[in-house]
Amino acid sequence: MRPSPTSLAHWGAFSADISGGDIAAVTPPPGDADPSPLLGNLPGSVRHRSRIAGPAVRRGWLRDGPGPSRERGADEYVAVPWDELTELLADELRRVVETHGNEAIYGGSYGWASAGRFHHAQSQVHRFLKMLGGYTSSRHSYSLGATGVIMPRVVGTHDDLFKRSTQWDVIVEHTDMLVCFGGIAMKNTGINHGGTTAHPTRDALRRFRDRGGQIVSVSPLRDDVDGECRWLAPVPGTDVAVMLGLAHVLATEGLADRDFLATYCTGYERFERYLLGHDDGIAKSPQWAAQISGLAADELTALARQMAAARTIVTVSWSLQRIRHGEQAPWMGLTLAAMLGQIGLPGGGFGHGYGSMNEPGLAPLRCRLPALPQGLNPVQTFIPVAAISDMLLHPGESYDFNGMRLTYPDIKCVYWAGGNPFHHHQNIPRLRRALARVDTIVVHDPYWTAMAKHADIVVPSTTAYEREDFSGSRNDPLLVAMHALAEPYAQSRDDYLTYAALAERLGFGEQFTEGRTARQWLVHLYEKWAAGLDFEVPGFDEFWAAGQLRLPTEPGLTLFGDFRADPQTHRLGTPSGRIEIFSEDIDSFGYDDCAGHPRWYEPSEWLGGARAESYPLHLLANQPASRLHSQLDGGALSQASKVQGREPIRMHPDDAAARRLADGDVVRVFNDRGACLAGVVIDDRLRPDVVQLSTGAWFDPADPADPDSMCVHGNPNVLTDDVGTSSLARGCTGAHVLVQVEKFDGPLPRVRAHEPPVIAPRR
Ligand SMILES: Nc1nc2c(c(=O)[nH]1)N[C@H]1C(S)=C(S)[C@@H](COP(=O)(O)OP(=O)(O)OC[C@H]3O[C@@H](n4cnc5c(=O)[nH]c(N)nc54)[C@H](O)[C@@H]3O)O[C@H]1N2
Ligand SMILES: Nc1nc2c(c(=O)[nH]1)N[C@H]1C(S)=C(S)[C@@H](COP(=O)(O)OP(=O)(O)OC[C@H]3O[C@@H](n4cnc5c(=O)[nH]c(N)nc54)[C@H](O)[C@@H]3O)O[C@H]1N2
Ligand SMILES: [Mo]
């Protein structure tokens, strides 16, 4: 073993012991107060059996040429040499462009890939496809599909809600009550895209409580807050009704800050008519909210009064907008905070995503980070990111999005690098049918994910630990040098080299590489960045040898503090320059699923609706505590969480007893869209009738040839509905789904998710 230099993952910096060409052990840096347990998935990941060893082409595609195919996901592969792969792929791209135009390439390629500013998979693929003449792109994210559209319309930004949020130190010092919808899930705070080197949340909450601060967690799961809190467990998906109930108390008991609403907001009166029931005859009172949410009306009344009497911050986790009508929860949370009148005061107001990412609450950098220039996309066509199956199944059809009427393009080639749609997308049976329709699917990934197993052309990428890079994120003070920890596994290659070879063959090699090796790009990006800074940084070699560089950050921020202090100079980027509790623009779109002010809509998947008669359990498909999404599902931490090899499903003791289930049983989780197996964990920290099965178990169909096949491993996206949040944002709604659970008595199918497919040698 030799000790090696440091690297960086989305969940933290580390140094590694290397043995046999793989990571043998990892050690977090001494400066990280609360290192993420996810580091435990790294040992053994470089040479894991699920790695893609070399370029491969699906047998049917090689035999029949490009075209729709239902064999995807069930076919064998043929190993091809790199030169042949480059030739086949370049020819196919040329064919698609010449026959169908660049719009026919879907290069949205959503996903988290890995940390690293240069080798960032999406930056590389987008740069390459732009030089090829462009591609149909995607907008927004699975994380923040609804927020990304609604918040710019009502507060003029969504980025600043996270980047320039009220900082933990300010909350610790000034806040009395932290009322958090969706909790502050410690499991989620390990992570930030690009990498994060310190984890301050646990310590901040400890200091907050030490000062006498109170946490109220509104969440179906008790453990969405670590340690002491007041736990209110509503029926999932009813938070907007709860917020309206609280708002009703403020409005009717003279507790709403009318000066704040008049000075800093617009449209409160229109909203208040709805709140008080002036037009529909339904007062959104605590009693009304209690009937919907299952919480006690008295408790809501008391809570509202306490919130008005204290320095209170209302936080809304990102999970609350990953549901049908997901626009409403952040908008209503903001409205509730506006009524309290504390937005912009230290420790009061609104927060979005505390406990969703290691970003809200952390000081932002005073400078930008180095980044790979990508150029412009000559193709204008885009889709909201979670509309992929809709697009592939309905070419030429038109749809509403954010006040526009758009048309789905006719996609012939799907090009993916750095993401896993079989992890992130809803209704996998539908996704499989959609993917069967295109001519060619190209996937770059280090691992044989389900997406790679549905590809026609499989490109083996290196992992971040087999190449040199640097990385950091905008709310973290360190730029970290990522030294190569191991040699590239088998025939895997950096995506950069793959694109360079393709570009060369397609006639734009020099334009793509600018004549630089990867190492030369690192130096170039660093030096160009350094030249644009208004402070001095060491030269690249010095930075590289030191392993990290500390950058200046902006401490002491309060969200919208500037706006509060001077609403004229610091107008918000909304049409009125203020917080829009009523938005004329949204109202003018006339959508029946998103009105001009926040309001309660019945979710499609919830325990109060008719669908619950057939599927009486509300499944929360939240983020896994044991990994980042589907990444390193084969790692030690993730594997240790499995029950008989299946993803754990947590159930309340009453729900388990009603089905005669015991800890460790394997169950079939199902609804009318699909089914999966999972392993029972009985836990009373859930509201009854709620079950929790996190995302991220690799999709593993019992019969790969059948698109409706059960997943034997526990991927909840075989169950979720592929429907957008509303006509406004069309965001991902995968966090919630109604299901039934029964004991699985059949012979247990083997989990093959992490086995490579059959790969034949090239004859
Ligand atoms: N039901 C349900 N579904 C959800 C959610 C939910 O709450 N419920 N949450 C959603 C959210 S918020 C998100 S962000 C998405 C996440 O969805 P994704 O971001 O698609 O999930 P990941 O597993 O992170 O996929 C990253 C892939 O990139 C690969 N990769 C890593 N490094 C490299 C590289 O250098 N090059 C290449 N080519 N590939 C690389 C990894 O091996 C992995 O396969 O899931 C969404 N899906
Ligand atoms: N360990 C780990 N951390 C992660 C990730 C990961 O994969 N693993 N993914 C990262 C990414 S990309 C993202 S976008 C963020 C996502 O951050 P979030 O979307 O906030 O994360 P979730 O875990 O889906 O949800 C947080 C909690 O919200 C609660 N919740 C769900 N629905 C409701 C509801 O209707 N009402 C209320 N009141 N509460 C509800 C659930 O109990 C859940 O545990 O997490 C990031 N952090
Ligand atoms: Mo996300």
Side-chain angles (χ1 to χ4, degrees):
M1 277 211 196
R2 63 181 170 86
S4 79
T6 52
S7 189
L8 184 63
H10 291 305
W11 49 91
F14 63 94
S15 62
D17 294 334
I18 300 300
S19 168
D22 207 334
I23 298 171
V26 293
T27 312
D32 192 340
D34 186 20
S36 166
L38 267 58
L39 289 172
N41 283 327
L42 284 166
S45 60
V46 172
R47 306 183 74 85
H48 193 266
R49 67 179 187 286
S50 56
R51 280 299 297 271
I52 302 173
V57 181
R58 190 172 65 77
R59 186 184 288 288
W61 193 91
L62 209 51
R63 184 188 57 225
D64 306 334
S69 171
R70 289 179 174 276
E71 284 181 67
R72 292 192 178 107
D75 209 353
E76 294 181 3
Y77 285 85
V78 177
V80 298
W82 268 111
D83 284 353
E84 188 178 346
L85 181 113
T86 306
E87 197 180 316
L88 276 173
L89 181 45
D91 288 354
E92 173 58 3
L93 290 172
R94 196 180 281 127
R95 180 194 73 86
V96 172
V97 169
E98 281 171 5
T99 324
H100 305 285
N102 281 78
E103 191 194 61
I105 300 175
Y106 181 60
S109 192
Y110 180 78
W112 266 61
S114 44
R117 310 294 302 185
F118 172 67
H119 289 289
H120 180 235
Q122 276 73 28
S123 306
Q124 290 285 347
V125 68
H126 291 152
R127 182 177 154 87
F128 169 74
L129 291 176
K130 281 168 184 168
M131 288 181 189
L132 180 71
Y135 59 95
T136 293
S137 62
S138 65
R139 282 201 192 159
H140 302 291
S141 63
Y142 280 74
S143 314
L144 290 161
T147 287
V149 174
I150 187 82
M151 295 318 260
R153 291 199 171 274
V154 303
V155 280
T157 177
H158 73 290
D159 260 10
D160 279 359
L161 294 175
F162 321 123
K163 193 170 84 180
R164 303 186 64 77
S165 62
T166 302
Q167 286 170 19
W168 281 124
D169 285 344
V170 176
I171 292 175
V172 168
E173 191 177 340
H174 297 279
T175 305
D176 302 318
M177 276 184 94
L178 194 53
V179 179
C180 32
F181 290 86
I184 300 199
M186 203 57 67
K187 70 177 172 68
N188 288 349
T189 62
I191 285 154
N192 198 359
H193 34 81
T196 188
T197 65
H199 294 92
T201 305
R202 195 183 305 274
D203 184 57
L205 291 181
R206 184 186 56 72
R207 289 186 288 137
F208 172 71
R209 288 190 182 99
D210 285 353
R211 225 201 84 244
Q214 229 203 96
I215 302 177
V216 179
S217 176
V218 185
S219 168
L221 301 186
R222 170 61 183 86
D223 50 354
D224 277 338
V225 167
D226 244 30
E228 197 190 320
C229 74
R230 201 154 117 211
W231 179 35
L232 303 181
V235 169
T238 64
D239 302 82
V240 173
V242 174
M243 293 175 193
L244 284 164
L246 296 170
H248 190 272
V249 178
L250 301 181
T252 54
E253 297 193 1
L255 299 173
D257 186 336
R258 293 193 184 260
D259 285 345
F260 183 87
L261 292 168
T263 314
Y264 295 96
C265 306
T266 167
Y268 173 72
E269 294 71 22
R270 295 282 292 271
F271 165 75
E272 201 187 58
R273 291 189 65 80
Y274 167 77
L275 182 66
L276 302 179
H278 286 171
D279 299 324
D280 61 4
I282 302 169
K284 313 304 175 299
S285 64
Q287 290 72 23
W288 170 84
Q291 275 179 11
I292 292 170
S293 68
L295 298 179
D298 289 355
E299 192 151 20
L300 296 182
T301 305
L303 177 60
R305 290 173 186 157
Q306 286 164 356
M307 289 166 73
R311 182 57 60 89
T312 300
I313 184 163
V314 176
T315 72
V316 174
S317 72
W318 295 352
S319 57
L320 262 69
Q321 45 92 62
R322 223 171 290 115
I323 184 172
R324 182 108 175 100
H325 309 293
E327 293 84 359
Q328 305 303 316
W331 195 5
M332 186 56 218
L334 176 79
T335 301
L336 180 61
M339 291 174 74
L340 290 168
Q342 300 180 22
I343 291 176
L345 294 182
F350 177 67
H352 191 17
Y354 291 88
S356 296
M357 191 78 70
N358 198 32
E359 182 165 69
L362 279 70
L365 291 177
R366 284 184 190 276
C367 61
R368 291 178 158 279
L369 287 163
L372 180 67
Q374 290 183 29
L376 293 175
N377 187 354
V379 174
Q380 306 295 315
T381 314
F382 71 91
I383 56 164
V385 68
I388 174 162
S389 294
D390 261 7
M391 167 181 71
L392 298 179
L393 291 167
H394 300 288
E397 279 186 26
S398 56
Y399 63 100
D400 286 311
F401 172 69
N402 198 10
M404 294 175 272
R405 191 85 190 146
L406 302 173
T407 303
Y408 288 127
D410 192 357
I411 298 297
K412 299 295 175 190
C413 172
V414 168
Y415 203 119
W416 224 283
N420 181 4
F422 281 81
H423 169 78
H424 64 235
H425 198 58
Q426 285 55 65
N427 196 337
I428 286 176
R430 185 170 190 253
L431 174 68
R432 294 188 74 192
R433 288 188 171 83
L435 290 175
R437 295 189 56 147
V438 300
D439 287 355
T440 300
I441 300 175
V442 187
V443 171
H444 292 222
D445 206 290
Y447 296 95
W448 277 111
T449 62
M451 186 60 183
K453 288 176 182 172
H454 282 74
D456 302 302
I457 299 183
V458 179
V459 185
S461 308
T462 50
T463 67
Y465 316 115
E466 299 159 278
R467 57 193 188 220
E468 295 179 338
D469 211 333
F470 48 69
S471 200
S473 57
R474 61 190 188 179
N475 289 66
D476 189 274
L478 296 185
L479 184 71
V480 177
M482 298 167 67
H483 300 116
L485 305 178
E487 289 297 315
Y489 172 72
Q491 295 182 59
S492 64
R493 264 188 197 172
D494 296 353
D495 291 343
Y496 174 66
L497 293 178
T498 304
Y499 298 126
L502 284 169
E504 180 66 34
R505 202 175 159 87
L506 289 160
F508 57 91
E510 180 64 25
Q511 192 194 351
F512 183 77
T513 63
E514 298 182 13
R516 294 190 191 93
T517 63
R519 181 60 183 268
Q520 287 166 337
W521 268 106
L522 294 185
V523 177
H524 168 73
L525 293 178
Y526 182 92
E527 287 177 348
K528 210 171 109 196
W529 166 76
L533 296 173
D534 56 11
F535 53 91
E536 286 289 312
V537 293
F540 179 83
D541 291 340
E542 200 182 318
F543 155 66
W544 193 252
Q548 62 181 54
L549 172 61
R550 186 165 292 275
L551 299 170
T553 55
E554 209 177 325
L557 283 183
T558 290
L559 179 66
F560 300 131
D562 290 349
F563 168 63
R564 172 124 200 172
D566 184 350
Q568 298 313 321
T569 314
H570 299 284
R571 282 172 60 90
L572 300 182
T574 54
S576 61
R578 304 187 198 173
I579 297 170
E580 304 222 335
I581 295 175
F582 185 90
S583 160
E584 298 284 353
D585 284 347
I586 296 175
D587 184 58
S588 74
F589 302 152
Y591 296 146
D592 59 7
D593 50 6
C594 190
H597 59 74
R599 50 157 289 176
W600 160 250
Y601 295 90
E602 252 192 55
S604 47
E605 306 271 331
W606 79 301
L607 292 168
R611 198 172 154 76
E613 285 164 26
S614 314
Y615 307 109
L617 295 173
H618 190 118
L619 187 150
L620 297 177
N622 64 352
Q623 312 292 321
S626 57
R627 59 190 167 255
L628 172 66
H629 313 138
S630 70
Q631 297 193 31
L632 309 186
D633 182 32
L637 183 78
S638 175
Q639 287 302 305
S641 73
K642 310 262 171 176
V643 177
Q644 295 199 49
R646 326 286 140 169
E647 192 63 17
I649 183 169
R650 289 204 295 167
M651 299 185 85
H652 189 273
D654 295 350
D655 295 321
R659 292 167 180 77
R660 301 178 186 284
L661 297 171
D663 247 328
D665 280 350
V666 171
V667 287
R668 188 170 153 266
V669 188
F670 65 95
N671 61 19
D672 49 357
R673 294 178 205 111
C676 68
L677 299 184
V680 173
V681 173
I682 297 178
D683 193 338
D684 64 4
R685 292 173 298 174
L686 295 85
R687 186 188 158 91
D689 298 332
V690 173
V691 293
Q692 181 239 318
L693 172 65
S694 290
T695 59
W698 286 17
F699 174 65
D700 192 352
D703 175 4
D706 173 10
D708 293 312
S709 176
M710 166 175 86
C711 168
V712 305
H713 189 198
N715 183 325
N717 276 326
V718 296
L719 304 160
T720 48
D721 195 10
D722 186 7
V723 61
T725 50
S726 79
S727 312
L728 187 80
R730 298 191 100 83
C732 162
T733 60
H736 295 257
V737 59
L738 292 178
V739 300
Q740 180 56 291
V741 170
E742 64 183 19
K743 187 157 179 176
F744 182 73
D745 284 323
L748 263 190
R750 199 161 68 83
V751 174
R752 290 172 301 186
H754 302 121
E755 310 295 334
V758 174
I759 305 167
R762 186 83 166 119
R763 276 186 296 272

